Amino acid sequence: MSAETTASMPPATRTGTRAWQRMLSGRRLDLLDPSPLDVEISDIAHGLARVARWNGQTRGAHAFSVAQHCLVVETIFSRLEENSPEARQMALLHDAPEYVIGDMISPFKSVVGGGYKAVELRLEAAIHLRFALPAHPSRGLKTLIKKADTIAAYFEATELAGFSVTEARKFFGQPRGITVEMLPIEPMPALEAQSRFLDRFQAIETERAAKVRL
């Protein structure tokens, strides 16, 4: 974790109350001081596949999950420009902390303030370190992931969340070079989203391992 990032994060506080969550893998994850040793990709995939984007206000028989959103973002990210497997893995995991803290819409995040962001950053660092990634993406990589995330939000807004094209353009801009036909945006059942997220993670890990062997 960079000194700049660490300096901007308030220290974890202890209140005497339980701050950990038991995972289905059997791990206990301390939400205020998470350890990479307590992070499992199976728990991440399970949790993200059951967290709804847009507070569940989307069309379809199934919620549009954060796991599926991550698949959409990584698809867009890979089409924007050629990137390393490590960069694509960070794009896939860009919302991974939400497997324990949930998805909060952007307007509410701004109201909640720095406490939520500090917890999110600690979780991001633990998740990345667990999978031998930098604790946080570089500024340039973060910008590119955010661009992919914003494009995903445009298509989710117009296809699923009831936004008009005009309204979506106002908030997210007009995507260039990406069309909805390129994206897995039809809401999936939780188990399918979970399985596809895991499959994509493992596919990228295979690429990373092959790169190391070269």
Side-chain angles (χ1 to χ4, degrees):
M1 189 180 302
S2 70
E4 178 185 358
T5 300
T6 304
S8 68
M9 293 167 56
T13 58
R14 296 291 178 181
T15 64
T17 58
R18 179 172 71 87
W20 55 264
Q21 180 173 342
R22 185 188 299 277
M23 300 295 162
L24 289 179
S25 65
R27 299 288 188 182
R28 288 187 179 189
L29 183 69
D30 186 328
L31 303 184
L32 299 182
D33 188 19
S35 167
L37 297 176
D38 292 322
V39 173
E40 298 291 347
I41 193 61
S42 59
D43 293 328
I44 293 172
H46 182 95
L48 295 183
R50 289 159 178 80
V51 175
R53 289 271 292 169
W54 305 92
N55 281 340
Q57 297 300 305
T58 51
R59 302 186 182 104
H62 305 284
F64 186 78
S65 70
V66 175
Q68 187 170 353
H69 165 75
C70 289
L71 290 168
V72 171
V73 169
E74 195 271 326
T75 299
I76 295 168
F77 178 82
S78 296
R79 287 179 174 271
L80 290 177
E81 61 182 60
E82 187 172 349
N83 273 292
S84 67
E86 289 77 14
R88 282 185 274 119
Q89 198 68 288
M90 283 189 277
L92 184 70
L93 295 170
H94 78 283
D95 277 341
E98 294 179 7
Y99 87 109
V100 285
I101 59 176
D103 180 48
M104 191 179 295
I105 60 173
S106 296
F108 196 58
K109 283 183 182 178
S110 64
V111 173
V112 171
Y116 177 92
K117 192 63 179 177
V119 172
E120 185 179 44
L121 285 171
R122 290 191 190 100
L123 285 165
E124 178 180 78
I127 291 164
H128 282 196
L129 294 173
R130 169 65 177 83
F131 303 116
L133 296 164
H136 303 288
S138 67
R139 183 171 299 179
L141 178 55
K142 185 174 181 179
T143 298
L144 191 59
I145 293 173
K146 182 61 179 177
K147 181 178 180 180
D149 193 32
T150 302
I151 293 171
Y154 172 89
F155 286 113
E156 291 169 20
T158 54
E159 297 293 320
L160 303 173
F163 284 58
S164 69
V165 169
T166 300
E167 189 177 19
R169 283 176 180 161
K170 176 183 175 182
F171 289 113
F172 310 114
Q174 176 64 53
R176 305 290 181 188
I178 303 291
T179 65
V180 70
E181 291 78 17
M182 300 173 178
L183 308 175
I185 205 164
E186 185 64 28
M188 304 173 188
L191 286 176
E192 181 182 351
Q194 178 178 342
S195 177
R196 290 181 63 171
F197 181 91
L198 280 171
D199 287 348
R200 187 59 188 147
F201 176 87
Q202 295 299 346
I204 297 173
E205 286 300 285
T206 299
E207 287 187 56
R208 293 180 69 197
K211 183 180 175 183
V212 169
R213 289 195 295 269
L214 293 177

